[in-house]
Amino acid sequence: MQLVKQQPSNEAPSDWFTGDVWWDAIHDGQEPTLVGVDMVRFSPGARTNWHSHVLGQTHTSSPVRP
């Protein structure tokens, strides 16, 4: 696995999320699996819009402590 060099956080696309959402790429999907890993952070009240991924998707959540 090749990790992505740390980049500044990007605003997530508004067609996938509502409210203020940021994401950071951790691993870009590469052949043959195309598995990508991102860290997604939601501001209070932000939500995901329902959307689909052609090859499927797995979500893992972890709490953020202030």
Side-chain angles (χ1 to χ4, degrees):
M1 174 168 66
Q2 182 176 358
L3 297 177
V4 176
K5 183 179 178 186
Q6 177 94 31
Q7 300 290 322
S9 296
N10 293 303
E11 285 190 57
S14 61
D15 55 331
W16 287 6
F17 300 95
T18 62
D20 293 325
V21 179
W22 300 268
W23 63 11
D24 299 284
I26 297 171
H27 172 70
D28 286 333
Q30 298 172 354
E31 294 285 348
T33 65
L34 301 180
V35 173
V37 178
D38 297 304
M39 179 177 63
V40 182
R41 292 169 290 142
F42 294 83
S43 65
R47 291 178 170 62
T48 183
N49 281 335
W50 289 106
H51 61 276
S52 62
H53 295 261
V54 177
L55 300 176
Q57 182 179 33
T58 300
H59 288 260
T60 303
S61 299
S62 58
V64 176
R65 301 184 202 285

